[in-house]
């Protein structure tokens, strides 16, 4: 767990971040009014299903969006007090290489298949840090050793296809660490990997983060992946942050029905086989025409008339650090009453059938 | 003869698939050979779901495909409903194969992007010469409905208009429409979000009950495999480590590798956050697998004998078999 730096200034402040894309069908609102702060050395887990805006959010922060992206002027991304949206493109390039680094989901596509591992690690060292050829090579060996790749010197002469998926992801992490970033953004770093390799990579990230005192944003669709590893968690649904809290507080007092549903859909080893899973029925809304009210309403077991008419904003109850956007929060009297009424009626205000949720 | 053993094979009239001494090897150039599957045996009872679990490259898909004779194995026997599959050729084999269908990890790329959903689902029907026309259209609609898709809405659309989970439903419909006895599901949920994964796992359970299917379910996540299986085989580098009912496997994992698979699953409760040890190192190359026990290069329990003697499957509990010289909580010790 981390504390604000001596200056009292957070490492990263994101205010009112919204990102939209111009598409043939109209404006697609991928991320909508997301705000959060990240302290030095802290780990933030961002969780949500496919298409919820996780990648667009971090790509907006890093300023690596395609040209079709639209970001309104009130969006602010402040890194150590500096408003990064005011940087020129050229300034941005060096700035990101050294302050923030990113690890992507697919270890094959983020390495260049025709370049040796060695060159791929030394290029950024020479470009960003102006190292000599031999110094960069020595540092590359050090970095591969840091990510626990055996025989690092030999690996420098290998091509990506000669390595397993897990090894390739280690190389990508080594490249990301090469300029000593203050923040590492890992976008689903293990989704393409086996559970055994996933555990190795997540353990590695955790150790590196602690040893190098980096902050980290860890993105995943599986709440289980961040449960034991993030200091804070932010749950996203349809482009909006719907709940955020300290990890333990979030699991102890989960308030948002979507967060609860996401947790319940994970198959648990301790349950007997053939235990029916609590799947979330339906799918997320079309982001070109999002519903007027709560975006989760059509799939929410708690939904009432108000949810269809009004968009819930993030609020707190008691713990100022625990924010959630829901009119009938889980574990509160309002929430309990809403669910009980829906169960009695057999359906929710949006017509979701609570008896036949299995297949849909 | 060192092998993976057959102690776990069942003597039952309900055996639908029986695989014995299955070996699958692929040429790897310069005279070398990939030992993808090395002498494994198992059976599947009618109506049962057999789970195959293990990390990438351990031979799960190769085993699944060998059952379908895609390609037929290097050696060994595969019988389906009493018929020796490895001896069949041409037309006979193709007929048998329609009774076994396969669904895959990547639902989006296993669908032809230029065809409409109704044609994709009907593919098998027209190939197999059922009367085309209203009979097959009804059958397609009925199957789409069974997998939770509204035929009115989806029939004329193409795959790119669907999410990964919906594409997997289309793949399942395409398999079901032929009324198969067996479906081999090769990592059907590995590419899906946890929320969609739950929908598909529930759907497979429903389809199994509704159509009386027998399933072979392949995945690398033991929690997923456990949820749908009646019996689980843990594989490692082309060999079998452990065979057990899923609940026993979780409660009393005997093989050191099974324990590691269990410990690797993320714990979705920070209040009991796990600090178990991850598996050390990488899976060795199947071109030159370790002598003796193939897991020995990464095993916490390893002893000298593990390098020279291959462990054979033996029973350690009701329906529970392990191939290891020094299993965890072992009631008996092997003497070769
Ligand atoms: N370049 C683009 N042009 C148009 N729409 C886009 C673009 N990039 C992303 N989107 C849309 O923005 C939304 C959010 O996408 P994003 O990639 O951030 O989701 P995600 O949460 O990272 O999902 P996943 O788990 O699948 O990676 C989606 O509806 C997506 O289709
Ligand atoms: N057609 C093939 N040619 C050569 N090697 C193959 C072929 N198919 C599979 N293999 C190899 O056989 C081993 C087992 O593969 P596979 O059955 O796909 O594993 P899994 O499905 O468990 O990930 C791997 O080492 C793989 O690279
Ligand atoms: S209860 Fe209402 S506001 Fe809360 S998540 Fe459900 S639909 Fe949204
Ligand atoms: S103890 Fe020996 S036989 Fe058992 S898994 Fe380990 S190496 Fe193999
Ligand atoms: Mg993404
Ligand atoms: Mg496979």
């Amino acid at each position: 767990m981390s504390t604000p730096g001596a200056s009292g200034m957070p490492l990263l402040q994101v205010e009112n971040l919204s990102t939209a894309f111009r598409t043939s069908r109209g404006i697609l609102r991928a991320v909508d009014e997301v705000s959060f702060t990240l302290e030095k050395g802290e780990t933030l887990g961002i969780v949500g299903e496919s298409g919820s805006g996780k990648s667009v959010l971090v790509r907006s922060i890093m300023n690596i969006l395609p040209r079709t992206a639209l970001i309104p002027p009130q969006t602010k991304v402040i890194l150590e007090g500096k408003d990064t949206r005011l940087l020129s493109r050229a300034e941005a390039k060096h700035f990101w290489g050294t302050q923030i680094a990113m690890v992507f989901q697919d270890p094959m596509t983020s390495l260049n298949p025709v370049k040796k591992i060695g060159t791929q690690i030394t290029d950024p060292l020479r470009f960003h840090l102006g190292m000599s050829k031999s110094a960069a090579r020595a540092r590359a060996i050090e970095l591969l050793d840091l990510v626990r790749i055996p025989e690092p010197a030999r690996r420098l002469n290998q091509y990506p296809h000669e390595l397993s998926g897990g090894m390739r992801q280690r190389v990508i992490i080594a490249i990301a660490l090469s300029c000593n970033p203050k923040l590492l953004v890992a976008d689903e770093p293990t989704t393409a990997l086996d559970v055994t390799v996933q555990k190795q990579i997540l353990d590695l990230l955790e150790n590196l983060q602690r040893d190098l005192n980096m902050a980290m944003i860890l993105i995943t669709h599986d709440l289980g992946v961040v449960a034991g590893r993030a200091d804070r968690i932010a749950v996203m649904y349809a482009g909006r942050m719907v709940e955020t809290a300290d990890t333990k507080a979030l699991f102890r007092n989960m308030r948002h029905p979507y967060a609860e549903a996401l947790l319940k859909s994970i198959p648990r080893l301790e349950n007997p086989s053939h235990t029916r899973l609590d799947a979330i029925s339906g799918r997320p809304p079309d982001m070109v025409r999002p519903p007027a009210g709560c975006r989760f309403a059509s799939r929410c077991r708690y939904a009432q008339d108000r949810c269809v008419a009004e968009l819930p904003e993030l609020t707190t109850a008691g713990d100022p650090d625990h924010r959630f956007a829901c009119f009938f929060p889980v574990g509160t009297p309002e929430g309990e009453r809403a669910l009980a009424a829906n169960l009695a009626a057999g359906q929710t205000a949006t017509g979701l059938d609570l008896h036949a949720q299995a297949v849909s | 003869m060192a092998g993976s053993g057959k102690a776990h094979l069942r003597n039952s009239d309900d055996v639908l698939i029986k695989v014995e001494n299955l070996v699958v090897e692929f040429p790897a150039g310069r005279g070398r050979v990939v030992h993808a599957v090395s002498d494994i045996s198992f059976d599947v009872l009618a109506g049962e779901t057999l789970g195959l679990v293990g990390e990438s490259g351990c031979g799960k898909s190769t085993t699944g495909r060998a059952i379908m004779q895609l390609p037929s194995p290097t050696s060994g026997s595969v019988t389906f409903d009493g018929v020796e599959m490895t001896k069949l050729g041409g037309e006979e084999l193709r007929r048998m194969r329609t009774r076994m269908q396969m669904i895959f990890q990547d639902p989006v790329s296993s669908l032809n992007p230029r065809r409409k959903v109704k044609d994709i689902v009907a593919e098998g029907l027209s190939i197999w010469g059922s009367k085309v026309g209203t009979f097959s259209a009804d059958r397609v609609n009925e199957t789409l409905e069974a997998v939770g898709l509204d035929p009115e809405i989806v029939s004329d659309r193409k795959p790119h208009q669907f999410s990964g989970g919906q594409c997997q439903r289309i793949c399942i419909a395409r398999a079901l429409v032929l009324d198969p006895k067996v479906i081999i599901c090769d990592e059907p949920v590995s590419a899906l979000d946890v929320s969609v994964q739950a929908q598909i796992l529930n759907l497979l359970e429903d389809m199994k009950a509704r159509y009386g299917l027998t399933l072979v379910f392949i995945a690398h996540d033991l929690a997923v495999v456990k949820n749908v299986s009646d019996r689980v085989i843990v594989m490692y580098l082309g060999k079998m480590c452990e065979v057990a009912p899923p609940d026993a496997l979780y409660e009393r994992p005997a093989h050191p590798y099974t324990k590691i698979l269990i410990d690797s699953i993320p714990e979705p409760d920070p209040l009991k956050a796990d600090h178990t040890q991850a598996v050390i190192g990488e899976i060795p190359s199947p071109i030159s697998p370790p002598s003796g026990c193939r897991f020995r290069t990464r095993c916490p329990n390893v002893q000298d004998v593990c390098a020279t003697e291959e462990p054979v499957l033996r029973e350690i509990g009701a329906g529970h078999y392990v191939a290891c010289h020094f299993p965890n909580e072992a009631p008996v010790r092997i003497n070769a």
Side-chain angles (χ1 to χ4, degrees):
Chain A
M1 200 74 51
S2 56
T3 45
S7 57
M9 187 195 287
L11 176 69
L12 176 71
Q13 263 172 285
V14 173
E15 283 172 30
N16 254 315
L17 192 151
S18 299
T19 307
F21 294 99
R22 238 183 252 113
T23 73
S24 56
R25 297 190 308 122
I27 300 290
L28 185 151
R29 304 186 63 169
V31 176
D32 212 7
E33 297 180 342
V34 169
S35 302
F36 65 88
T37 60
L38 186 66
E39 305 295 346
K40 295 189 174 70
E42 189 182 31
T43 300
L44 171 71
I46 299 182
V47 187
E49 70 202 279
S50 187
S52 59
K54 308 179 297 291
S55 299
V56 172
L57 171 63
V58 293
R59 284 169 173 272
S60 308
I61 293 171
M62 297 190 67
N63 223 341
I64 48 168
L65 289 167
R67 289 185 193 282
T68 51
L70 309 162
I71 296 187
Q74 60 270 30
T75 290
K76 283 201 166 60
V77 177
I78 299 167
L79 190 73
E80 292 198 303
K82 203 169 182 176
D83 189 340
T84 62
R85 304 210 56 79
L86 305 175
L87 295 176
S88 72
R89 266 198 176 259
E91 274 177 307
K93 230 175 166 181
H94 266 293
F95 189 72
W96 294 123
T98 56
Q99 306 278 323
I100 307 189
M102 191 149 172
V103 173
F104 296 94
Q105 173 168 345
D106 187 344
M108 199 56 198
T109 54
S110 33
L111 287 173
N112 184 335
V114 298
K115 267 182 157 180
K116 285 184 179 163
I117 301 292
T119 327
Q120 303 199 46
I121 306 178
T122 52
D123 277 355
L125 292 170
R126 305 191 63 194
F127 172 73
H128 290 301
L129 304 180
M131 282 189 180
S132 73
K133 208 168 172 177
S134 60
R137 192 186 142 84
R139 174 79 176 132
I141 293 176
E142 212 175 279
L143 285 165
L144 290 180
D145 196 45
L146 188 68
V147 296
R148 314 225 192 342
I149 289 186
E151 306 172 78
R154 188 169 69 86
R155 306 290 177 176
L156 295 181
N157 294 318
Q158 290 188 316
Y159 289 94
H161 71 89
E162 297 177 64
L163 304 181
S164 69
M167 282 293 169
R168 285 197 287 262
Q169 199 58 292
R170 285 172 196 266
V171 170
I172 290 164
I173 294 170
I175 294 171
L177 296 177
S178 59
C179 300
N180 297 315
K182 295 187 171 119
L183 170 61
L184 182 68
V185 177
D187 188 355
E188 310 221 25
T190 58
T191 302
L193 305 173
D194 273 4
V195 278
T196 41
V197 183
Q198 162 166 293
K199 167 129 172 113
Q200 291 178 330
I201 297 290
L202 292 173
D203 284 355
L204 173 71
L205 284 172
E206 193 174 322
N207 292 336
L208 288 170
Q209 188 218 2
R210 198 184 43 233
D211 298 347
L212 306 176
N213 193 29
M214 278 184 307
M216 183 158 80
I217 296 180
L218 181 58
I219 297 178
T220 169
H221 60 83
D222 184 351
L223 258 176
V225 165
V226 287
R229 302 184 189 265
D231 300 312
R232 292 184 64 76
I233 289 179
V235 180
M236 289 191 63
Y237 186 77
R240 294 178 70 88
M241 191 186 282
V242 295
E243 183 161 9
T244 178
D246 170 83
T247 303
K248 292 207 168 84
L250 184 92
F251 279 85
R252 207 178 294 122
N253 298 313
M254 204 165 262
R255 291 292 180 232
H256 201 280
Y258 175 65
E260 182 194 45
L262 210 49
L263 184 62
K264 281 189 170 173
S265 62
I266 302 172
R268 305 293 293 261
L269 253 183
E270 57 270 30
N271 288 340
S273 60
H274 303 297
T275 298
R276 191 155 190 92
L277 297 169
D278 287 311
I280 312 176
S281 57
R283 19 189 234 131
D286 176 1
M287 309 283 274
V288 174
R289 294 175 202 83
C294 175
R295 292 185 176 175
F296 188 54
S298 65
R299 309 168 77 187
C300 179
R301 295 160 54 83
Y302 296 71
Q304 303 294 310
D305 288 337
R306 184 178 179 196
C307 310
V308 184
E310 242 180 280
L311 179 66
E313 298 288 342
L314 282 170
T315 53
T316 58
D319 179 0
D321 209 33
H322 185 167
R323 297 181 293 153
F324 47 89
C326 174
F327 299 126
F328 304 96
V330 178
T332 64
E334 306 88 283
E336 304 291 313
R337 272 198 300 276
L339 182 59
N342 288 349
L343 286 172
Q347 62 170 12
T348 71
T350 63
L352 175 69
D353 186 346
L354 294 184
H355 297 313
Q357 270 207 8
V359 181
S360 57
Chain B
M1 227 0 237
S4 285
K6 293 189 191 178
H8 60 295
L9 293 185
R10 290 163 293 189
N11 211 337
S12 158
D13 292 340
D14 290 338
V15 170
L16 184 63
I17 300 171
K18 188 166 186 174
V19 171
E20 285 180 275
N21 304 103
L22 181 75
V23 175
V24 185
E25 290 168 353
F26 299 101
R30 283 181 273 143
R32 296 174 311 164
V33 167
V34 179
H35 300 272
V37 173
S38 304
D39 190 14
I40 70 170
S41 304
F42 59 88
D43 50 23
V44 193
L45 305 186
E48 183 177 64
T49 298
L50 175 75
L52 286 181
V53 67
E55 69 201 280
S56 177
C58 73
K60 306 180 295 294
S61 302
T62 303
T63 303
R65 285 198 301 267
I67 297 174
M68 307 270 294
Q69 309 296 302
L70 292 168
S72 53
T74 308
S75 65
S77 145
V78 176
T79 59
F80 174 65
D81 225 355
V83 178
E84 178 58 57
M85 297 282 290
T86 56
K87 301 245 156 58
L88 298 181
E91 188 61 17
E92 272 179 323
L93 183 57
R94 254 181 284 139
R95 286 224 169 266
M96 283 304 268
R97 273 195 199 132
T98 56
R99 302 172 64 199
M100 293 191 228
Q101 291 293 309
M102 232 172 149
I103 56 177
F104 301 96
Q105 170 166 0
D106 188 352
V108 181
S109 68
S110 58
L111 298 172
N112 182 338
R114 284 182 298 275
R115 306 198 71 187
K116 291 177 179 171
V117 168
K118 63 176 182 201
D119 299 323
I120 291 174
V121 174
E123 247 163 43
L125 286 178
S126 35
I127 293 172
W128 293 105
S130 312
K131 288 155 211 65
V132 206
T134 53
F135 168 74
S136 94
D138 286 351
R139 176 105 187 105
V140 167
N141 287 346
E142 181 196 312
T143 314
L144 283 170
E145 244 161 52
V147 300
L149 296 170
D150 184 343
E152 298 256 328
I153 300 173
V154 305
S155 290
D156 290 315
R157 296 204 188 170
K158 292 184 180 162
H160 72 264
Q161 290 171 283
F162 296 94
S163 67
Q166 287 174 309
C167 287
Q168 198 56 287
R169 287 175 196 272
I170 297 168
C171 293
I172 294 172
R174 177 175 59 181
L176 284 174
V177 82
L178 293 166
D179 199 16
K181 275 194 134 161
V182 175
I183 301 186
I184 296 170
C185 311
D186 190 358
E187 308 234 22
V189 296
S190 302
L192 305 175
D193 272 12
V194 277
S195 49
V196 183
Q197 165 179 294
Q199 293 179 352
I200 298 296
L201 292 175
N202 284 347
L203 175 66
L204 284 172
E205 290 274 81
D206 291 343
M207 295 303 103
K208 181 186 163 192
R210 176 163 171 178
Y211 296 103
L213 297 167
T214 302
L215 301 181
V216 175
F217 186 96
I218 298 173
H220 61 80
D221 183 335
L222 190 53
V224 168
V225 170
K226 183 183 174 191
N227 183 261
V228 296
S229 301
D230 302 303
R231 199 177 208 219
V232 177
I233 297 178
V234 178
M235 286 185 69
Y236 184 80
L237 205 56
K239 293 279 184 187
M240 292 167 63
C241 301
E242 191 162 3
V243 184
D247 296 326
L249 193 69
Y250 165 65
E251 280 153 24
R252 295 178 296 281
H255 200 282
Y257 180 62
T258 309
K259 181 78 170 62
I260 284 166
L261 278 182
I262 290 175
D263 287 346
S264 299
I265 296 166
E267 169 55 62
D269 181 352
L271 306 173
K272 45 177 171 175
D274 75 302
H275 282 285
T276 48
Q277 196 61 47
V279 63
I280 44 164
E282 293 246 306
I283 191 164
S285 163
I287 291 177
S288 48
S291 63
C293 173
R294 290 192 179 179
F295 187 56
R296 70 180 163 83
T297 54
R298 305 166 83 188
C299 180
N301 297 7
V302 64
Q303 305 281 333
D304 290 347
V305 62
C306 305
T308 53
E309 258 167 60
E310 180 179 357
V312 175
L313 278 170
R314 64 202 163 90
E315 190 165 19
I316 54 162
H320 192 161
Y321 302 81
V322 68
C324 171
H325 297 307
F326 308 100
N328 301 325
E329 300 173 46
V332 273
R333 171 97 359 133
I334 192 159
N335 34 50

